[in-house]
Amino acid sequence: MRFFSVEEANRLVPLLSSTFGRVRPWVERVQKLAEVLDALGSAPETLETRAQREERESLLERIRGELGPLQEMGLEIKGADGLVDFHARRGEEPVYLCWRFGEASVTHWHDLQAGFSGRRPIESPDDFEPTYLS
């Protein structure tokens, strides 16, 4: 598993910003389609609902196609609307560096179990050194 330094994570922010800039409108549309389709419940499928389901599936596939390469780099996508964790080590402790769409850089970290609500500011980037394990 790869552990990122703050510098390495920050080098990926332009890519993340660009990717999520493309993906976020698709995520919003998928959410709207899901609401419409859920409201229909078990009503008989019409040509319109079939088209909506196909659009939703197509958008989901596009989202997966955009986010898959980020996951292959070792990033954890916590929200398709732009929440990303980077595996890191703070001393000997495994933690996450945390980035959210709209942030100019990676400025927070949290414990593995804490999640977004447990984010803390990065006081010293040197506390997070990269490690490469096979």
Side-chain angles (χ1 to χ4, degrees):
M1 175 184 306
R2 177 180 183 177
F3 294 95
F4 290 83
S5 69
V6 175
E7 179 184 337
E8 289 172 325
N10 278 325
R11 278 189 290 220
L12 292 172
V13 168
L15 173 64
L16 294 173
S17 295
S18 171
T19 301
F20 284 103
R22 281 189 308 279
V23 168
R24 286 170 59 90
W26 303 340
V27 171
E28 289 174 16
R29 179 66 180 152
V30 165
Q31 290 168 339
K32 287 179 184 172
L33 287 167
E35 289 171 10
V36 168
L37 293 168
D38 286 347
L40 294 172
S42 60
E45 185 165 86
T46 65
L47 289 176
E48 182 180 356
T49 58
R50 180 176 300 146
Q52 290 170 328
R53 287 185 201 289
E54 289 173 0
E55 180 185 0
R56 184 187 62 189
E57 292 307 313
S58 174
L59 288 169
L60 287 170
E61 193 60 36
R62 287 171 76 183
I63 292 166
R64 284 190 284 271
E66 290 283 335
L67 301 183
L70 300 176
Q71 292 171 313
E72 289 172 10
M73 285 190 251
L75 309 182
E76 287 196 23
I77 309 301
K78 299 296 184 166
D81 59 345
L83 187 58
V84 177
D85 282 343
F86 301 80
H87 289 275
R89 280 202 180 275
R90 186 170 183 263
E92 292 299 314
E93 177 186 8
V95 297
Y96 287 123
L97 299 173
C98 185
W99 177 84
R100 176 175 55 180
F101 182 78
E103 295 177 340
S105 62
V106 176
T107 58
H108 289 79
W109 68 279
H110 60 81
D111 293 327
L112 297 182
Q113 281 72 35
F116 184 82
S117 63
R119 285 180 16 139
R120 297 183 227 167
I122 294 171
E123 294 177 12
S124 173
D126 293 336
D127 289 345
F128 305 89
E129 291 298 322
T131 306
Y132 302 92
L133 301 176
S134 52

